[in-house]
Amino acid sequence: MHEISRIPKDQQAATTPTGAAPKVGFVSLGCPKALVDSEQILTQLRAEGYDTAKSYDGADLVIVNTCGFIDAAVQESLDAIGEALAENGKVIVTGCLGAKKDGDGNDLIKSIHPKVLAVTGPHALGEVMQEVHHHLPKPHEPFIDLVPPQGVKLTPKHYAYLKISEGCNHRCSFCIIPSMRGDLVSRPIGELMLEAENLFKSGVKELLVISQDTSAYGVDVKFRSGFWNGRPIKTHMTQLLEALGQLAKQYGAWVRAHYVYPYPHVDQVIPMMGENLLPYLDIPLQHAHPDVLKRMKRPASGEKNLDRIQAWRAMNPDLTIRSTFIAGFPGETEAEFEYLLDFLKEAQIDRLGCFAYSPVEGATANELDNPVPDEVREERRGRVMLLQEEISRKRLQAKVGKTIRVLIDELTPSGAKGRSAADAPEIDGIVYVKKPFEPHKKLAVGQFVDVEITRADAHDLWGEA
């Protein structure tokens, strides 16, 4: 049931036939960082001899890992909790929504769903396991041999997320994540390298580096040195990505960096990017106008970001940049929005998502003057996406006739779906690969193939292996 109907069957952790072992169902919602939390809980459950159930009926209790970032995610999480209570009755809740309070200062979840067994916040493996032990005593003997070195994963076998830190030191006015996940806490670099090695050994061909702020990795420990294979290595984003790229090369794999703030030291990473450490940066810019960024309390100005992007592309012409933006932030004037459009025309962002500003309970942005009307927010979001469609179409059209490396994600009757170095799973485009004519050429999930691109639209590519 991990993620009943929300995670495809090929992404569900396998159920282990352990006879009378107590069974736990799992529903995982939210971002990749929450998914990693889910994987850690599932790994610990399996290590202690618990089995996993794929239906409410087969579960002795259900854990729901929630998201609480925006209103739509809050409602989805509350609905999932209600469904689990109705279908099973024994529910433990964890995740970001578990840290939220209602207007009276009480636990939001308990006030809406008082029958839940327990509620914890995010990144709370110990607390979750303590509640599981209380409500569903663990088996007498742990089945350690059932746990693979890489742990239990909810992603397909050929790619995985590596969460390098928890929390965030920024206090962006539209965001409540620090109030739920706390300040930045970096994981030891040796521990990360060991986890990455175990993942590559298990068959992972793409490692996606995630956090709330990847560029700040190591700030909290003053970039102290750790050790990997007997050699000192600094707890710093630059050294981490370099080491991961070298490790990935040994396994013929990819490393992709997400949530990278445009700090100056990112400049050092760009020349390292190539076949293994992918020339891809996911940078959450959010806006371009200096006054809007100031109201957002973002750590960088729009002019510097444009200069930096142009410098990065000069260093590495193959670089793909993904970013997210907010339209209709409180106080945003038409002139400030037009400034954003001009920035996008110059920056030529490869992959872009835009959200109409959504007030989040507890965010300081709610107190700003001159909120933008709902219809204007949506209209501006639409204008951004219309512009981006034109930009993306031109950038993808330039790839027609070229041969690019593609990682196969799924087989189809006509061939396969895959992704290039420019495409992160779930959020970017797809490369549709035509079935090879030669009988000796076989496509397989997790395989790299060279594909000649024959067609493109504003989002995806088509080609032949």
Side-chain angles (χ1 to χ4, degrees), residues 288-413:
H289 196 284
D291 292 343
V292 179
L293 290 167
K294 187 175 180 181
R295 293 197 295 274
M296 289 180 168
K297 296 186 178 177
R298 296 293 286 170
S301 70
E303 297 98 328
K304 289 181 181 177
N305 287 339
L306 185 58
D307 291 344
R308 189 159 285 132
I309 287 170
Q310 291 170 342
W312 288 343
R313 288 209 170 114
M315 283 189 274
N316 194 330
D318 294 328
L319 180 66
T320 294
I321 296 175
R322 149 163 279 283
S323 190
T324 52
F325 292 84
I326 297 173
F329 189 76
E332 182 189 64
T333 65
E334 179 62 25
E336 289 171 341
F337 176 70
E338 291 283 352
Y339 186 100
L340 170 61
L341 294 181
D342 290 340
F343 171 89
L344 296 177
K345 289 172 187 174
E346 283 200 67
Q348 294 285 298
I349 304 292
D350 298 89
R351 300 295 194 185
L352 184 148
C354 183
F355 303 91
Y357 173 73
S358 173
V360 177
E361 186 178 345
T364 58
N366 300 339
E367 301 165 14
L368 294 173
D369 295 331
N370 304 315
V372 179
D374 289 353
E375 62 274 15
V376 177
R377 292 182 220 160
E378 285 295 337
E379 184 265 345
R380 288 178 179 172
R381 185 195 71 82
R383 286 161 67 188
V384 168
M385 296 313 296
L386 197 62
L387 171 61
Q388 179 58 29
E389 187 168 340
E390 177 186 335
I391 292 170
S392 180
R393 188 184 302 277
K394 288 180 180 177
R395 295 189 74 81
L396 290 181
Q397 192 63 39
K399 297 185 179 185
V400 174
K402 295 182 178 179
T403 298
I404 62 175
R405 196 95 165 134
V406 172
L407 178 59
I408 300 298
D409 282 333
E410 178 186 343
L411 299 182
T412 66

Side-chain angles (χ1 to χ4, degrees), residues 87 125 129 143 157 164 170 290 334 338 380 385 461:
E87 296 289 336
L125 172 62
M129 293 308 301
F143 292 83
K157 186 180 179 182
I164 65 173
H170 298 301
E334 179 62 25
E338 291 283 352
R380 288 178 179 172
M385 296 313 296
L461 299 169

Side-chain angles (χ1 to χ4, degrees), residues 3 40 49-50 56 78 107 144 181 210 220 222 243 272 306 318 320 342 359-360 415 428 444 462:
E3 246 303 334
Q40 290 171 348
Y50 290 94
Y56 288 119
L78 291 173
D107 288 342
I144 299 297
R181 290 186 172 261
I210 59 169
D220 56 314
K222 297 183 171 56
M272 301 177 191
L306 185 58
D318 294 328
T320 294
D342 290 340
V360 177
D428 292 330
W462 284 258

Side-chain angles (χ1 to χ4, degrees), residues 162-390:
L162 181 70
K163 183 161 63 170
I164 65 173
S165 63
E166 265 298 337
C168 183
N169 288 342
H170 298 301
R171 295 297 182 265
C172 300
S173 60
F174 55 83
C175 181
I176 58 172
I177 285 175
S179 68
M180 295 186 289
R181 290 186 172 261
D183 288 337
L184 177 78
V185 179
S186 300
R187 293 178 60 195
I189 195 163
E191 177 183 303
L192 290 175
M193 293 303 298
L194 178 60
E195 182 175 338
E197 184 176 46
N198 285 333
L199 287 167
F200 287 137
K201 284 180 177 177
S202 76
V204 163
K205 291 299 180 184
E206 180 178 6
L207 196 63
L208 299 109
V209 177
I210 59 169
S211 66
Q212 300 299 147
D213 180 359
T214 296
S215 302
Y217 175 67
V219 166
D220 56 314
V221 294
K222 297 183 171 56
F223 307 118
R224 70 179 173 223
S225 291
F227 288 89
W228 168 243
N229 282 346
R231 304 164 107 184
I233 177 172
K234 276 192 175 182
T235 307
H236 191 284
M237 183 193 79
T238 306
Q239 281 84 346
L240 173 64
L241 291 181
E242 182 178 23
L244 288 174
Q246 292 171 353
L247 184 62
K249 186 175 183 179
Q250 298 175 30
Y251 294 90
W254 285 350
V255 173
R256 189 185 300 273
H258 285 271
Y259 308 105
V260 177
Y261 279 72
Y263 301 152
H265 63 258
V266 177
D267 297 356
Q268 302 166 26
V269 177
I270 307 301
M272 301 177 191
M273 292 178 160
E275 189 175 339
N276 300 106
L277 177 58
L278 296 180
Y280 178 102
L281 284 180
D282 173 16
I283 313 169
L285 296 173
Q286 308 301 4
H287 211 279
H289 196 284
D291 292 343
V292 179
L293 290 167
K294 187 175 180 181
R295 293 197 295 274
M296 289 180 168
K297 296 186 178 177
R298 296 293 286 170
S301 70
E303 297 98 328
K304 289 181 181 177
N305 287 339
L306 185 58
D307 291 344
R308 189 159 285 132
I309 287 170
Q310 291 170 342
W312 288 343
R313 288 209 170 114
M315 283 189 274
N316 194 330
D318 294 328
L319 180 66
T320 294
I321 296 175
R322 149 163 279 283
S323 190
T324 52
F325 292 84
I326 297 173
F329 189 76
E332 182 189 64
T333 65
E334 179 62 25
E336 289 171 341
F337 176 70
E338 291 283 352
Y339 186 100
L340 170 61
L341 294 181
D342 290 340
F343 171 89
L344 296 177
K345 289 172 187 174
E346 283 200 67
Q348 294 285 298
I349 304 292
D350 298 89
R351 300 295 194 185
L352 184 148
C354 183
F355 303 91
Y357 173 73
S358 173
V360 177
E361 186 178 345
T364 58
N366 300 339
E367 301 165 14
L368 294 173
D369 295 331
N370 304 315
V372 179
D374 289 353
E375 62 274 15
V376 177
R377 292 182 220 160
E378 285 295 337
E379 184 265 345
R380 288 178 179 172
R381 185 195 71 82
R383 286 161 67 188
V384 168
M385 296 313 296
L386 197 62
L387 171 61
Q388 179 58 29
E389 187 168 340
E390 177 186 335

Side-chain angles (χ1 to χ4, degrees), residues 20-194:
K23 291 188 176 183
V24 178
F26 210 103
V27 178
S28 183
L29 304 172
C31 65
K33 292 174 285 295
L35 185 72
V36 172
D37 289 348
S38 296
E39 292 173 340
Q40 290 171 348
I41 295 169
L42 283 165
T43 297
Q44 188 62 32
L45 286 167
R46 185 66 62 81
E48 294 186 8
Y50 290 94
D51 202 352
T52 51
K54 292 185 178 179
S55 69
Y56 288 119
D57 291 342
D60 296 302
L61 67 75
V62 177
I63 298 172
V64 181
N65 191 6
T66 59
C67 179
F69 185 48
I70 60 174
D71 290 347
V74 169
Q75 191 57 54
E76 182 185 19
S77 293
L78 291 173
D79 290 346
I81 295 166
E83 179 183 293
L85 283 169
E87 296 289 336
N88 183 277
K90 297 181 70 175
V91 178
I92 294 171
V93 179
T94 187
C96 287
L97 190 58
K100 293 196 76 170
K101 307 293 182 183
D102 62 16
D104 298 323
N106 302 314
D107 288 342
L108 176 66
I109 292 171
K110 281 281 191 180
S111 65
I112 296 173
H113 294 300
K115 293 185 178 180
V116 296
L117 300 176
V119 178
T120 82
H123 198 55
L125 172 62
E127 294 173 65
V128 171
M129 293 308 301
Q130 185 176 349
E131 294 296 339
V132 171
H133 296 158
H134 178 69
H135 296 285
L136 188 63
K138 62 181 179 180
H140 294 299
E141 295 183 6
F143 292 83
I144 299 297
D145 57 313
L146 297 180
V147 184
Q150 73 275 12
V152 177
K153 295 295 171 186
L154 294 173
T155 49
K157 186 180 179 182
H158 63 286
Y159 70 81
Y161 295 99
L162 181 70
K163 183 161 63 170
I164 65 173
S165 63
E166 265 298 337
C168 183
N169 288 342
H170 298 301
R171 295 297 182 265
C172 300
S173 60
F174 55 83
C175 181
I176 58 172
I177 285 175
S179 68
M180 295 186 289
R181 290 186 172 261
D183 288 337
L184 177 78
V185 179
S186 300
R187 293 178 60 195
I189 195 163
E191 177 183 303
L192 290 175
M193 293 303 298
L194 178 60

